[in-house]
């Protein structure tokens, strides 16, 4: 099985989120294709970019490099997203990535009765995060990913978080171990 790992751990190898992701992916033994958002120079769409993308969509030029990330996402069998909890959700780079991936007729389309229907192959998204504090209520980053999964036709989302990692007196390794145990139970 091919897993697409969307690495939104912008701190690089020092990221505790990335440590959990790498351990989880290593335990799977599957083929992993990694998209490292820190190394991509993705920009939010502006008017010129939208016009170019629309022209290429209209022309059906799906082999254009502009659609490479979208094609990769749509074809993945399983998706793992690693993103730290920043500003009530995740790093902006992940939102920009989703903006590039969300392409009508590649990751979703509209039916004749104007319903949005997802057309991605993935059977699930596993969202792994770490937080300096404890999140009270909904994790808006995960909630956003659930919305994206629904839009793209991905039937299952899974969530694992290690929280409280920057709080004085919290046993950080114990918190990470709880997340590791959750990850071990997933498959």
């Amino acid at each position: 099985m091919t897993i697409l790992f969307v690495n939104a751990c912008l701190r690089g190898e020092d990221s505790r989120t990335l440590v959990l992701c790498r351990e989880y992916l290593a335990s799977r033994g599957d083929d992993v294709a990694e998209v490292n958002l820190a190394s991509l120079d993705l920009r939010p769409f502006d008017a010129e970019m939208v016009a170019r993308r629309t022209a290429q969509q209209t022309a059906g030029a799906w082999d254009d490099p502009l659609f490479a990330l979208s094609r990769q996402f749509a074809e993945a069998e399983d998706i793992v997203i690693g993103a730290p909890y920043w500003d009530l959700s995740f790093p902006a780079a992940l939102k920009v990535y989703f903006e590039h991936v969300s392409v009508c007729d590649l990751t979703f389309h509209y039916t004749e009765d104007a319903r949005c229907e997802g057309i991605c192959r993935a059977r699930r998204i596993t969202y792994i995060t770490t937080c300096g504090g404890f999140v009270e209520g909904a994790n808006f980053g995960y909630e956003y990913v659930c919305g994206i999964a629904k839009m793209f036709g991905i039937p299952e989302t899974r969530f694992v978080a290690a929280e409280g990692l920057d709080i004085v007196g919290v046993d950080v390794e114990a918190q990470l171990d709880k997340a590791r145990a959750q990850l071990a139970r997933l498959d």
Side-chain angles (χ1 to χ4, degrees):
M1 175 185 309
T2 301
I3 297 175
L4 174 62
F5 172 41
V6 181
N7 176 356
C9 304
L10 303 181
R11 289 190 173 123
E13 298 302 318
D14 293 333
S15 167
R16 297 174 288 203
T17 307
L18 185 57
V19 167
L20 289 175
C21 290
R22 294 236 189 272
E23 290 172 359
Y24 172 67
L25 291 166
S27 75
R28 297 282 314 262
D30 295 310
D31 182 31
V32 177
E34 181 173 337
V35 175
N36 184 340
L37 300 185
S39 66
L40 296 180
D41 190 22
L42 294 180
R43 297 178 331 177
F45 276 86
D46 58 24
E48 181 181 319
M49 292 169 69
V50 169
R52 180 172 182 275
R53 181 163 86 170
T54 301
Q56 295 301 84
Q57 281 176 283
T58 303
W62 302 118
D63 60 341
D64 188 305
L66 175 68
F67 300 121
L69 291 173
S70 187
R71 286 191 315 269
Q72 180 186 44
F73 194 94
E75 294 167 5
E77 297 173 86
D78 201 355
I79 299 168
V80 173
I81 299 173
Y85 186 74
W86 285 6
D87 303 320
L88 300 178
S89 65
F90 44 65
L94 184 54
K95 171 63 172 92
V96 173
Y97 170 78
F98 284 131
E99 199 171 87
H100 284 262
V101 165
S102 184
V103 177
C104 189
D105 294 328
L106 285 180
T107 52
F108 70 96
H109 66 222
Y110 291 104
T111 63
E112 288 182 13
D113 59 346
R115 286 181 305 104
C116 179
E117 182 177 71
I119 54 177
C120 289
R121 287 183 59 198
R123 60 189 173 119
R124 66 183 173 214
I125 293 176
T126 303
Y127 185 78
I128 302 170
T129 190
T130 58
C131 315
F134 290 96
V135 178
E136 295 180 24
N139 181 304
F140 297 122
Y142 176 63
E143 295 299 320
Y144 183 88
V145 169
C146 289
I148 286 290
K150 183 176 180 180
M151 178 181 169
F152 292 167
I154 300 170
E156 180 184 359
T157 57
R158 308 182 308 178
F159 176 76
V160 174
E163 298 183 356
L165 303 183
D166 293 337
I167 297 174
V168 174
V170 167
D171 184 340
V172 172
E173 275 309 307
Q175 292 300 99
L176 290 169
D177 285 343
K178 285 181 195 175
R180 287 180 179 111
Q182 278 185 280
L183 288 166
R185 288 190 300 269
L186 288 181
D187 292 317

